[in-house]
Amino acid sequence: MSGSDARPFDVAESSSLRVLWVLLPLLAVLGVGIWSQLHDSRTDAPWMEVTLSPPFFLMSGSAAWSLAVIVLMGVGLGWAFFRRRVELADNVLDVRSTLYRRRTPVADLLLDQAEVVDLGRDRRYGIRFKTNGYSMPGFYSGHFRLQGGGKGFALVTDRARTLVIPVRGGSTLLLSLERPQALLEALRKVAATAPRQ
């Protein structure tokens, strides 16, 4: 396989409404910021003021910059929620998930131990807590600690059908795919044809 013929694998569908777990709190802060700006008119405002309550910082008595930052955060995090891709190219499995990316050579994958599991029932691979990730109910992206004790890199949109691939000397990959067996077969085919090191 060359870089020009990267083979994508479809990520399992996830409800688009899950993005509201990110957007609704930001919209609430935005609303409070606008309300406080409209109800607090000060003429003797300093050039810049930082507060612990919304809108958090003011410039020349205006919350416009603070509100603009909140809007940009909402757009960025909303965009990141929909950034999901799994590709196999140049003997490397490339997983892109929200703000994270993991490129793993096929030679480092322990394919004989790979399996499709239900994370809700399998205690070895259940997600325990996030170390550097992006998560909400039913959606996990990034780096996590697993209930079985190891580390994992997750792109999980369907806990009931997750392809688990242990990695030699690294974090276990947890991937929710429409056809997890198709990726596993493709990886095994690449591993069988790759030159031995």
Side-chain angles (χ1 to χ4, degrees):
M1 254 184 209
S2 67
S4 60
D5 61 353
R7 183 172 171 198
F9 293 87
D10 294 331
V11 176
E13 288 297 318
S14 175
S15 172
S16 298
L17 294 178
R18 286 191 172 126
V19 76
L20 293 176
W21 283 95
V22 174
L23 297 182
L24 287 178
L26 288 173
L27 287 173
V29 171
L30 181 66
V32 169
I34 291 172
W35 180 84
S36 70
Q37 182 66 27
L38 293 174
H39 289 14
D40 183 25
S41 58
R42 293 171 33 202
T43 57
D44 61 339
W47 178 75
M48 183 171 219
E49 181 181 3
V50 178
T51 65
L52 294 177
S53 61
F56 303 113
F57 72 91
L58 304 171
M59 293 181 73
S60 299
S62 172
W65 289 106
S66 182
L67 300 178
V69 167
I70 292 170
V71 169
L72 288 175
M73 282 178 53
V75 170
L77 291 173
W79 168 82
F81 176 79
F82 294 103
R83 182 180 177 256
R84 305 173 198 156
R85 178 177 288 162
V86 176
E87 288 182 339
L88 180 59
D90 293 330
N91 297 335
V92 174
L93 180 61
D94 186 6
V95 180
R96 297 175 197 179
S97 178
T98 64
L99 306 171
Y100 305 93
R101 183 176 186 184
R102 174 83 185 270
R103 293 174 49 81
T104 309
V106 173
D108 291 345
L109 301 176
L110 302 174
L111 298 173
D112 56 329
Q113 298 174 30
E115 58 184 313
V116 179
V117 301
D118 179 347
L119 294 180
R121 296 182 180 182
D122 195 314
R123 303 293 296 170
R124 298 170 298 163
Y125 302 115
I127 292 173
R128 188 178 202 180
F129 61 86
K130 97 180 122 180
T131 55
N132 181 9
Y134 184 112
S135 67
M136 59 195 68
F139 179 76
Y140 303 89
S141 172
H143 303 273
F144 296 83
R145 285 286 181 181
L146 305 179
Q147 289 179 359
K151 296 185 287 185
F153 181 85
L155 168 51
V156 175
T157 57
D158 180 0
R159 291 173 48 93
R161 187 182 50 174
T162 302
L163 176 60
V164 174
I165 308 172
V167 178
R168 187 176 292 110
S171 297
T172 299
L173 295 173
L174 299 114
L175 308 172
S176 293
L177 302 167
E178 287 292 333
R179 297 178 50 232
Q181 204 61 39
L183 173 60
L184 190 52
E185 289 170 11
L187 290 169
R188 286 180 174 153
K189 186 181 290 185
V190 168
T193 60
R196 300 283 176 216
Q197 296 181 356

